[in-house]
Amino acid sequence: MKLILYSHAVQAGFPSPADDYKEGALSLDDHLIEHPAATYLARAAGDSMEGVGIFDRDLLVIDRALEPVQGDVIVVALDGELTCKILDKKHQRLLAANPDFRPIPILNEQSLVIEGVVKASIRYHRKQPC
């Protein structure tokens, strides 16, 4: 489905009279999903990633085809539990984006599977049904 994309940004202050001009159509699939067969969605839970703009109940767009690099936000299965964290390859750890959470060291004896790179997150500003 293609949606209308306006050529001017939406002001969070006073509106501009030029905001009536349309730039064209935009498909959210084309914009958010680079590898459709390798992309899935999941809901964020908790507040450990608020520092990078991921809040409780946000929708994560996760791409398994992307190779994780230093600083990427990733979803990992760590000893069987899924978590969303920042990858710190340099120091072999996973980082929260909230100072209330300690780094998680990546130890050799742990089972760690990278489930994908978080390409985008979608925040709802209206309460969503469960």
Side-chain angles (χ1 to χ4, degrees):
M1 175 170 64
K2 301 272 185 185
L3 302 173
I4 295 170
L5 174 63
Y6 285 89
S7 60
H8 287 66
V10 176
Q11 296 296 319
F14 295 102
S16 166
D19 285 343
D20 289 339
Y21 297 101
K22 297 174 188 169
E23 185 175 306
L26 173 89
S27 165
L28 290 178
D29 287 345
D30 293 343
H31 191 68
L32 296 174
I33 302 174
E34 186 177 350
H35 305 105
T39 299
Y40 65 100
L41 305 174
R43 283 224 188 272
D47 60 357
S48 72
M49 297 303 289
E50 287 183 355
V52 292
I54 297 174
F55 292 83
D56 189 52
R57 305 283 300 148
D58 282 357
L59 192 61
L60 305 177
V61 179
I62 304 158
D63 191 333
R64 287 185 167 154
L66 296 175
E67 183 66 32
V69 298
Q70 176 71 19
D72 272 348
V73 175
I74 60 173
V75 172
V76 300
L78 183 61
D79 290 333
E81 288 191 43
L82 288 176
T83 188
C84 177
K85 296 291 181 264
I86 299 166
L87 178 61
D88 182 4
K89 282 184 170 184
K90 192 184 303 184
H91 298 101
Q92 292 295 300
R93 61 188 182 168
L94 302 172
L95 304 172
N98 178 331
D100 293 338
F101 293 82
R102 291 178 166 213
I104 301 169
I106 300 171
L107 306 172
N108 289 334
E109 63 270 7
Q110 288 177 306
S111 170
L112 182 127
V113 177
I114 296 177
E115 296 291 336
V117 174
V118 177
K119 182 164 179 175
S121 62
I122 300 168
R123 179 161 325 121
Y124 294 96
H125 296 276
R126 187 177 202 192
K127 186 176 178 175
Q128 296 296 306
C130 294

